[in-house]
Every structure is written in structure tokens, then in C-alpha cells.
Amino acid sequence: MISSKTTFWGYRRENGRVGVRNHVIILPLDDLSNAACEAVAHNIKGALAIRIPMDACNSAPTWICIFAR
């Protein structure tokens, strides 16, 4: 039930409608895909590309655990 004490964590769009903010994170599978992920994130407003460390293929279990947290 909506009352005067109800809060909505959203935003008002330019056309007057309301929306909610989603978080978009672009994760590359390897260090060779960093540039592609950054290009995708650059074209999506509010998206964030997280770079994989260089030579990450040799330490995959380490960075997978970091991203999982």
C-alpha cells in the first residue's frame, strides 16, 4: 500500500516518467578483451568496465574470486 511515508529510490526521466537505476558492469573474460569491454561500457550510460589485470590467464582463480566478492 502506498502512503505519504512511502519512499521510492528512483529518478524522474526527461519525459516526466520515473525509472529505477540498474547497475551495469562489463567484465572481460581475459586481458585481451579489456579494450572491447571499455568500448561497450563507453556506449552505455552509467556502465562500468572493470579491467582484467595483464597476464590474468595465468592467475584466473585469483581474479575470479576477487570479482565474485
Side-chain angles (χ1 to χ4, degrees):
M1 177 169 211
I2 298 175
S3 71
S4 62
K5 295 181 181 181
T6 302
T7 58
F8 174 71
W9 291 92
Y11 64 96
R12 187 164 304 278
R13 295 180 177 159
E14 292 177 7
N15 65 3
R17 297 177 64 192
V18 295
V20 294
R21 171 89 41 212
N22 293 320
H23 298 280
V24 178
I25 298 174
I26 313 295
L27 292 175
L29 295 176
D30 56 30
D31 57 339
L32 300 175
S33 303
N34 284 336
C37 288
E38 288 175 347
V40 171
H42 180 72
N43 289 306
I44 300 173
K45 185 178 180 180
L48 173 67
I50 298 180
R51 295 181 59 88
I52 297 291
M54 295 301 289
D55 200 27
C57 294
N58 294 330
S59 61
T62 302
W63 61 261
I64 289 172
C65 291
I66 291 170
F67 287 140
R69 280 190 242 131

